[in-house]
Each structure stands twice: as C-alpha cells, then as structure tokens.
Amino acid sequence: MNSLFDISTRSGIRMDKYLQAWSLRLFHGKDFATLPDAARVAEQQRLAASVKKLWKSFNANRKNLEKHYLEDPEVLRAYAGSFLIPNVQRIFAIATSPEVSAALAYFATLDRPLRIMDFGAGPLAASTGIVAALCHENRLQFEISAIERSVPAFQLGKELLTAAFANPERLKVSSATSVQKVTGMADVILAANVFNELPVAHREKTLRGLLEKLDDNGVAIILEPGQDVHARDLSSLRNSLVKNPPFRFDILAPCLHKKKCPLSAESERSDWCWFQNTWKPPMLLAELDRYSGLRHSELNYSYLVIQKTAPSATFKKPETPSYFARLVSDAITVGGAKNGSSFLRWARSNTIIDGDYFLEDAIPDTEFQKTLLCTRDGELEAALGSRAPGRRGDLILEKDVPCRCQERTGLTNPKTGFSTGERNRRDIELHSPRSRTKPSTKKPVQLAGKAKSPKPHR
C-alpha cells in the first residue's frame, strides 16, 4: 500500500496542504523547512520527548492516563506529532480495500452529502482517512458529525482537514459531546481507537447505542490497536453482535463468516487477529520517529467493518470473488531437522487436503512454510507448503492452498459452543514486537544532525 501522503492531489483534496498545516501547528507557526539544522534538531527532540511520554501512557502506564488527556496542549501536540498521521493512513488503507471500497462507492451515487459520524473523533484522523479515500468522487459532499469532548482536538482536526479541501463548500463539520445530541442518521460511523479506552462493562452498550444511528446500507468501521488484549476484546465485541444482532448486517472485513471468532478473548490460543499496513511515512514523521525511538513504517491494527443490510431498490450489492479464507498470520518455518518427525506426524494426522501429495511425499527433515487461515466457514486452518500463499491480511481462493491442516480452535468454555482441547505447542505464535502489551526497552535515538527518512520495511 502506498502512502496516502505520497498522493499530493486527489480530485478535491490536497494532502500536501494537510501536511503543511500539520507542520505549522506542531511547531507553533514556524516554517520547519526553513529552520537551521540545529534549531530543527532542538525542536524535534523536545517534541519527541513528549511523544515518548504519551506512548508510555498508552502502552505501559494505561491506568495513569488522564481521562481528558487531549485537553492538555502539550499532550495534544504530542498526539498530533506521532499518532494522528498514522491513524489517517490506517483508516485510508481500510476504506480503500476492495471489500470496503465497494460498499462505500454506493454513497457516491446518492444525490445528497455523505453523512459521517466520528465517535471519539479527536483531531478527526478517521474522518480524514475516509474523506481522502472518497474525495475522487467529484460530486460527493461531506457532512461530518464529530463526537468529541475536547474542543482543542476537534478544532485542530477541523483546521487541518479544511486546509486540505480545494472546495471548502463541499465540507461541513460540526461537533457534539454525545451521540444523543446528534440529530439524524449516519451513512458511515467511525470509532478509531476508542473502545480500548472505555471500561469493559460499558463497551457493548456504547457500541449498540452508536449503531442505532446507522442508516440502511450504512457502514461502521471500528479500528483498535493491534496489541493482543485490544484485538481480542474487539473480537469479543464482534461475537456479541453476532450472537444478538442489533439489525441485519454483513461483515465486510476482515471476516469471511458470521460465526464466533476463534481468536477472541475466550480463546486459549496464543494468536490474535491483527493486520499490518506497510507504507512510507511523510518525511517529518520519519524524522520524529528517529528521535522518539518509535517506528511507523509498519502500522499494526485490528479492525471490524460491518454494513447494515436492508431492502433497497437503489442499492445492488457488488459481486465479489468467492474467497476461501483470509491469511491471519505471517509465514513461519516449521519442521526440519530439529522437530521434523513430530511435526510431520501432527500434520498428517490433521490433514484436510494434500492435493500435491506434499505431506505424503515429505521426509522428516522437510521444512514447511506454515500460515494460519481463517476460512469462510469460521474454521482455523494451517496452509503448508514450500512458500506462503500470500501475506498477512490477504484474501485467497481455495485453489491457492493445495495442502491444508485443521488447527485447534482453542475456545474452551462449553457455553460458547466451541471445541475444547489443551494448548497446542504448534499454534502459530508470530507476534509483532510492537504489538505486545509491554513497554519497549529501546532508548530514543539522539541525533546530532538532520534525520533522514528510513526506507519502508518490506
């Protein structure tokens, strides 16, 4: 996925203008590009210190995170400096994925503005990602209702987004402090990195109250961090909607099924459902990352996209390929000289299909590439072969995986209706080091000169 910010113009929106306004706000109106090197370094180091402090509050000291942290000007500046742009990119990546963009394209056919409700909007990162994804539709106008208690955060987001619009008359932005204070329905509901900040006991009720505002054929996008606890909790929220639907709905992504999630908080597996967007961060963000010690060239996240289905004479659901599964892990090397015999016994005893006789002809020293699949039947399977059928997050066809083995579901509560079993040592345990819920020990890098943008990791 290319960076949204590499695209300077998109039929009505200028992301280069957005970045320019963003830079001016970060550095109190100073033209950062014209500052001497020593001044640039000093400004970046001061901002990076605030960024690192906020990152620790999010990841290591969550209990000490202030409830209204965006009211603090320095905290808001740190948030805008390191978290705002990546969140815009995350939502843009989700909105432009084939399975989601096909549903969003419907709203461009309507002779009225697109109504967006952004819950916990902050500086409008989620709204900006959606608008940027759809702004190529020249006729489309946008009405954004931001649910946000922090006036400074909302004003910052409105200022940046307005600066990017070539035709500001196409954009209307308002704010409210609660969902109940917003009149009318929404075509798109956004909740980016909000539910992990709510008490667990209030999350389902809050989500259902939010979805009451979703109009027929409307799309709801929930984005959460890619860390294990947050991804599992989101899967559990998804399970509650599947068990007791608030209305008829389809899951657009990432799931191909509406059965219970085998990687939710109820699972004893060591995996969780998270995804990654590799992109090229804007130069200034890359420089700040070098000083803060953070890394944004790979964006981890968990997410859920649903669409409210209702009879409509004007809406025709687009035809999509009949995908078999989504890859929900990276490939790992298994088998080989160290434990090849035991792995081969497991694989052969759990074989679903071995179309190329890959397992039948294998010898104990054979090394395999193993990738975890979540199928359209809601089952976990392992794809085995000499290479992986794709990358984490890819949708694949059944013919793409000639050798498959059944994986342990890992949900052990009899009330859930899932199978039971002991922990399987062969569960895929590939976790992003930046996805674990523990603080990083990496120290910020202090540079003496101008930082250069690192190449994106592929």
Side-chain angles (χ1 to χ4, degrees):
M1 167 65 70
N2 291 326
S3 165
L4 162 63
F5 300 93
D6 283 342
I7 307 170
S8 60
T9 338
R10 286 182 66 87
S11 293
I13 195 166
R14 293 282 304 272
M15 297 314 295
D16 55 341
K17 296 290 186 182
Y18 185 94
L19 287 176
Q20 184 181 24
W22 171 69
S23 175
L24 288 172
R25 282 298 303 267
L26 286 185
F27 298 104
H28 309 296
K30 298 176 183 177
D31 185 352
F32 195 69
T34 64
L35 291 178
D37 285 354
R40 288 171 62 94
V41 170
E43 290 282 1
Q44 287 174 315
Q45 287 182 335
R46 280 193 290 269
L47 179 54
S50 297
V51 167
K52 192 65 176 178
K53 183 178 179 180
L54 181 58
W55 183 89
K56 288 182 178 179
S57 296
F58 284 147
N59 293 279
N61 305 314
R62 177 60 72 96
K63 292 182 179 179
N64 297 327
L65 185 66
E66 292 290 337
K67 185 176 181 180
H68 302 295
Y69 58 90
L70 291 181
E71 293 290 312
D72 184 322
E74 189 58 29
V75 173
L76 177 58
R77 181 169 174 254
Y79 184 90
S82 193
F83 300 94
L84 171 59
I85 300 297
N87 283 335
V88 174
Q89 174 68 20
R90 287 181 175 100
I91 292 292
F92 176 79
I94 292 171
T96 54
S97 63
E99 58 271 33
V100 179
S101 62
L104 293 176
Y106 161 70
F107 299 108
T109 67
L110 303 181
D111 189 23
R112 60 170 175 78
L114 175 69
R115 302 164 299 174
I116 299 173
M117 182 181 292
D118 193 342
F119 180 64
L124 299 181
S127 293
T128 302
I130 287 290
V131 168
L134 294 176
C135 228
H136 60 280
E137 301 289 353
N138 289 317
R139 295 190 306 106
L140 202 55
Q141 299 183 18
F142 302 90
E143 291 183 355
I144 299 173
S145 298
I147 314 301
E148 177 55 54
R149 295 181 182 274
S150 171
V151 175
F154 168 75
Q155 291 294 346
L156 172 61
K158 181 179 180 180
E159 176 187 327
L160 299 183
L161 187 53
T162 302
F165 256 75
N167 299 307
E169 64 274 9
R170 293 173 58 192
L171 177 68
K172 180 181 177 182
V173 185
S174 61
S175 66
T177 55
S178 69
V179 175
Q180 291 73 24
K181 293 181 179 180
V182 177
T183 59
M185 304 293 280
D187 301 311
V188 177
I189 290 179
L190 305 170
N193 298 313
V194 178
F195 284 98
N196 69 89
E197 296 187 4
L198 299 178
V200 175
H202 298 167
R203 292 176 186 175
E204 183 178 347
K205 182 179 179 181
T206 301
L207 176 58
R208 291 182 181 276
L210 190 60
L211 292 177
E212 288 178 0
K213 290 287 187 178
L214 191 63
D215 210 348
D216 291 349
N217 303 315
V219 174
I221 301 177
I222 305 173
L223 174 76
E224 287 289 282
Q227 297 161 317
D228 51 357
V229 63
H230 306 311
R232 289 177 181 275
D233 285 348
L234 178 57
S235 294
S236 294
L237 268 180
R238 172 201 175 280
N239 285 350
S240 70
L241 294 181
V242 169
K243 181 179 180 181
N244 184 19
F247 42 66
R248 290 176 55 198
F249 69 91
D250 292 328
I251 298 179
L252 300 182
C255 316
L256 293 174
H257 63 90
K258 287 182 69 175
K259 296 183 179 180
K260 293 180 181 178
C261 175
L263 297 177
S264 64
E266 293 82 15
S267 173
E268 287 191 348
R269 287 184 62 98
S270 54
D271 319 74
W272 65 91
C273 189
W274 64 276
F275 302 93
Q276 190 172 77
N277 178 228
T278 301
W279 67 310
K280 182 181 178 181
M283 177 66 77
L284 179 54
L285 177 61
E287 290 183 4
L288 288 170
D289 281 354
R290 294 285 299 275
Y291 289 106
S292 68
L294 304 183
R295 180 183 176 187
H296 285 113
S297 58
E298 294 175 341
L299 302 179
N300 302 332
Y301 56 92
S302 56
Y303 74 109
L304 176 67
V305 184
I306 68 172
Q307 182 176 34
K308 183 177 180 179
T309 57
S312 173
T314 59
F315 179 67
K316 182 179 180 181
K317 195 170 182 179
E319 294 184 4
T320 56
S322 181
Y323 290 109
F324 165 65
R326 188 183 292 274
L327 301 182
V328 291
S329 81
D330 300 308
I332 62 172
T333 301
V334 293
K338 186 175 181 180
N339 61 353
S341 295
S342 61
F343 179 81
L344 201 55
R345 285 195 298 272
W346 171 85
R348 286 172 173 166
S349 64
N350 288 279
T351 300
I352 297 172
I353 185 172
D354 187 14
D356 291 343
Y357 302 102
F358 193 73
L359 291 173
E360 184 176 324
D361 297 338
I363 60 175
D365 288 349
T366 302
E367 287 190 343
F368 303 86
Q369 291 296 305
K370 179 183 178 184
T371 317
L372 192 66
L373 310 175
C374 186
T375 74
R376 62 187 173 215
D377 295 325
E379 300 291 339
L380 288 179
E381 296 184 5
L384 298 179
S386 56
R387 60 183 179 84
R391 300 174 60 183
R392 179 189 292 269
D394 286 352
L395 292 169
I396 58 173
L397 302 174
E398 194 163 6
K399 65 180 181 62
D400 296 331
V401 195
C403 184
R404 293 158 32 210
C405 294
Q406 183 65 51
E407 279 280 334
R408 189 180 63 91
T409 302
L411 290 138
T412 58
N413 185 346
K415 295 182 180 180
T416 66
F418 289 109
S419 58
T420 61
E422 296 180 357
R423 181 179 294 277
N424 186 343
R425 291 181 297 126
R426 297 183 181 85
D427 287 354
I428 291 187
E429 297 184 356
L430 273 188
H431 305 150
S432 165
R434 292 168 305 284
S435 292
R436 289 186 179 276
T437 49
K438 64 179 182 181
S440 171
T441 58
K442 183 179 178 181
K443 296 182 179 180
V445 179
Q446 304 296 329
L447 302 182
K450 187 186 299 184
K452 295 183 179 179
S453 174
K455 294 181 179 179
H457 178 71
R458 299 290 180 187

